Amino acid sequence: MDARETTPDAAAPQGAPPRIAVLGTGYLGATHAVAMAQLGMEVVGVDTDQGKVDALAAGKVPFFEPGLPELLEQTLATGRLRFTTDVAEAVAWADVHFVCVGTPQTKTSHAADLRFVEAATTAIARHLTHDAVIVGKSTVPVGTGARLRELVAREAPAGVAWELVWNPEFLREGKAVDDTLHPDRIVLGGTTPASEALLRRVYATPIAEGSPVVVTDLPTAELVKVSANAFLATKISFINAIAGVCEAAGADVTVLADALGHDVRIGRQFLDAGLGFGGGCLPKDIRALMHRAGELGAHRAAGLLQQVDEINMGQRERVVDLAVEACGGSVLNRRIGVLGAAFKPLTDDVRDSPALNVAAALHLRGAQVTVYDPEAGDTARATFPTLGYATSTREAVEGSDVVLVLTEWREFVDADPAALAALTATPRVIDARGRLDAPAWREAGWALRALGRAA
């Protein structure tokens, strides 16, 4: 089936809002459930974790995402949103079932672990009592949907009509609420006219606001999200590779990126040289795509993604090397203040965080590392309890031999360099995100190094 894109003028079919079940109430599922309720639908969020269900039902979001706690409280108050561990009741009640569970990397390879997706889909199939549409939102390897259709065909009760389609998510942590309520595109894969019409009712509000709808086949829809992440990762690794050239040649990668960004074919976003990407999506998604591409014999794609991954991981080693160099060749018993633990600002997510990876690597070399992050302190401590943790920027910087800015929180970018310099043993800073005002920090007495700029 060829892809087709519809314009905002295509009116969404009318009818009563469908009842929604969202299986999985982690980052994706909780956000999606709240957003669907905000768009006017009755929604039930389903999870096997009673603690998570109880917290959400009480209006408490178990992770940091700007705007989501307030929206959760609002939608709970309307009575349109509830949470449960009773999957049978939820499936029997709902018309549309969104699969929003995680697909982490397996422990033994780069492949995606699909156990949770398969378990959620099986649970839906076994408890169907009336015609329904199963909608995959989780990020999966291409070909997953076809296998899940076979699973549902085996498990669903006879006489119940169902469809399984794919509607990938495109959430950015820190902006997930807006991305769900006002998506820049809605991809529907493997739909029939009936299921497409139903999902247009689900997304009637953003469609009316102008969000384009791309209708395509199941494999293409599965590939859209991982391909988008792979492209963004490639863009980041490209500018980081060029940053190495800039350092060697005495050029400034930031000015270079600004100049490149004026080209409309390239754009400025994701051209910030620095510590590289991390988090729960890009690293594991490009590795899963690399693995799947290899399985399919698409070795050029697999080779490209291997290089992207290697360049990205090399940036972490580069920052460790700069810290060792700043300390005269050894960090043993040196005090290092680390500003940032989350993989990016506006989240408390420390999964595959470059910041924590660097902090842990320096700790293993004998450094006394103290980490501060405005939101991710607790999640970081749970992941790396052997590191030291501070409760403020000043506390992290105090007495340090070198300071590393590893997450570009506004609090760090706007900090007073003169006031911080007075707290240090030696005012040396490594700006691993390229966001500090270098002249101002140097004027305040700091010896500053930044990736992609000459020393």
Side-chain angles (χ1 to χ4, degrees), residues 99 101 103 114-125 128 134-156 162-166 218 222:
V99 176
V101 296
T103 54
L114 299 177
R115 288 178 299 164
F116 305 112
V117 170
E118 292 169 355
T121 305
T122 300
I124 294 169
L128 289 174
I134 304 169
V135 186
K137 286 200 76 70
S138 302
T139 304
V140 296
V142 62
T144 300
R147 294 194 296 276
L148 292 178
R149 283 178 172 175
E150 295 175 357
L151 184 156
V152 177
R154 293 194 305 269
E155 300 289 344
W162 55 268
E163 288 189 47
L164 187 145
V165 304
W166 222 263
L218 199 56
E222 291 171 325

Side-chain angles (χ1 to χ4, degrees), residues 13 23 76 98 131 162 214 288 305 351 372 379 401 404 420 455:
L23 273 74
L76 285 171
F98 283 96
D131 298 354
W162 55 268
V214 178
L305 295 173
R351 290 175 294 175
Y372 170 65
T379 52
D401 294 293
L404 277 59
L420 294 181

Side-chain angles (χ1 to χ4, degrees), residues 103-104 173 229 278-285 343 349-353:
T103 54
E173 293 194 38
N229 278 354
C281 289
L282 260 66
K284 63 100 174 172
D285 285 353
F343 82 95
D349 193 346
V350 298
R351 290 175 294 175
D352 206 352
S353 168

Side-chain angles (χ1 to χ4, degrees), residues 226-236 265-266 270 286 305:
V226 291
S227 297
N229 278 354
F231 183 81
L232 296 176
T234 301
K235 199 171 181 181
I236 294 168
R265 300 168 301 173
I266 298 174
F270 288 83
I286 68 166
L305 295 173

